[in-house]
Amino acid sequence: MKLKIDEKPFLPEGRHVVKVTEVEEGKSENKEIPFINCRLENEDGFVNQRFYLSEPGQPILASFLKALGIDKTEVDTKELKGKTLSVEVEERSYEDAEGKEKTIKQATHFREIGKADTSDRF
């Protein structure tokens, strides 16, 4: 059997410099909360990060935009594509609406390139 792989692997846990390569808009499955999903990738792999456009999600989205060098109160999602930043990739487990435990990879601790601490360098 021949296997053809057209996808990069998930980024391993740790700090990575990544580029926003895709931005999709959607709504959460259960509560219909709007979100944007950003694909953050580099040559080693990728991670998808969802940003909920709710009041509790505002500080997280604000820190992401700041790390991208965007300092505006209103942003078109098209402006995000192609921008780079430093992120920390980690796994997180949670219980979904049906009570099943799920584990996802997520990006956290967003930092501007060049303004991050020495742990950002490879």
Side-chain angles (χ1 to χ4, degrees):
M1 173 191 323
K2 291 183 181 182
L3 299 176
K4 185 178 180 198
I5 308 297
D6 291 326
E7 182 60 276
K8 291 180 178 183
F10 289 118
L11 285 169
E13 291 187 54
R15 184 150 293 278
H16 301 274
V17 173
V18 294
K19 181 186 282 189
V20 179
T21 58
E22 293 176 24
V23 179
E24 297 176 329
E25 298 175 18
K27 289 192 177 185
S28 64
E29 295 81 8
N30 295 309
K31 296 184 180 178
E32 295 287 312
I33 298 170
F35 67 81
I36 59 169
N37 185 69
C38 295
R39 181 180 168 111
L40 309 172
E41 70 179 284
N42 62 24
E43 61 279 348
D44 297 325
F46 77 99
V47 64
N48 286 311
Q49 181 60 47
R50 218 180 245 198
F51 296 96
Y52 287 96
L53 308 179
S54 62
E55 189 174 326
Q58 292 292 304
I60 299 164
L61 183 56
S63 67
F64 175 70
L65 295 174
K66 183 178 178 185
L68 291 175
I70 297 172
D71 191 23
K72 299 189 277 186
T73 56
E74 195 168 300
V75 180
D76 188 326
T77 56
K78 293 175 188 146
E79 294 178 53
L80 307 179
K81 197 170 177 181
K83 298 219 180 265
T84 58
L85 73 156
S86 173
V87 300
E88 197 168 308
V89 175
E90 60 188 30
E91 283 191 354
R92 179 176 71 89
S93 295
Y94 69 97
E95 197 172 284
D96 71 8
E98 297 170 1
K100 296 179 186 169
E101 185 168 322
K102 295 200 174 197
T103 301
I104 60 168
K105 286 218 177 199
Q106 66 179 15
T108 61
H109 303 104
F110 311 111
R111 296 194 179 129
E112 274 186 76
I113 302 298
K115 296 205 175 175
D117 62 33
T118 54
S119 65
D120 286 27
R121 295 174 181 62
F122 334 69

